[in-house]
Amino acid sequence: MASGTVITQTRTSNASLPVENATVAYFEPGNMEKMRLLALQKSDSSGKTPPLVLETPDPAASRQPEDGSGPPPFRLVNIVADHPDYERVSIDNVQVFAGVVTLQNINFVPLPAPMMGASPEEFIDTPAQNL
C-alpha cells in the first residue's frame, strides 16, 4: 500500500477569510449506517487542518490489467465540516492519490442571526475523474 495526504482549508464563502476551530471529520465512504470515522480534526487560525496521511492503492495496481478494469488509483474519503456560526458542509468522494497532497477547500456559508445554533447543510458530491 502507498499513502496520500489530505488537508482541508476552511474559509468563509463571501470574504474568503479563514475559519478557525471548525470541526472536520473524515469518513470512509459507505451508507450512513456503516460509515467509518477515519479522523476528527480542528482548523487552525489559518483555516487549515493538520495533514492527514491515509493509505491509498498502489498506483501501479491500477494499470493492471491493461483494459482499465483494475482498481482506481485513488482512495475516496467523505468530509463533513461543522462550525456553530456556519452551515454544515458535506463533501463526498474526495479523491486522495498516492504521493500527492490533496487540498480540499471548504467554503462556509454564514447562518442568519436567528438560526444560530441550527445547522442547515450544504452537500457536495465530487464526481470521479475520468482517468
Side-chain angles (χ1 to χ4, degrees), residues 33-107:
E33 296 83 34
K34 296 192 179 197
M35 285 187 7
R36 184 171 68 98
L37 180 65
L38 299 172
L40 191 62
Q41 298 181 331
K42 288 279 192 180
S43 60
D44 63 17
S45 61
S46 69
K48 287 187 178 180
T49 57
L52 176 62
V53 178
L54 297 170
E55 286 186 8
T56 59
D58 184 348
S62 68
R63 294 189 286 263
Q64 303 290 329
E66 300 278 329
D67 66 3
S69 64
F74 51 81
R75 177 179 187 169
L76 294 177
V77 177
N78 294 347
I79 300 173
V80 178
D82 262 317
H83 189 281
D85 299 335
Y86 301 92
E87 291 182 7
R88 174 180 295 134
V89 178
S90 295
I91 304 172
D92 283 354
N93 301 316
V94 174
Q95 299 163 16
V96 181
F97 291 84
V100 175
V101 175
T102 300
L103 179 61
Q104 179 63 55
N105 291 311
I106 296 175
N107 295 317

Side-chain angles (χ1 to χ4, degrees), residues 107-125:
N107 295 317
F108 280 115
V109 175
L111 290 172
M115 293 207 44
M116 291 294 194
S119 284
E121 187 170 353
E122 178 181 357
F123 179 76
I124 301 166
D125 186 7

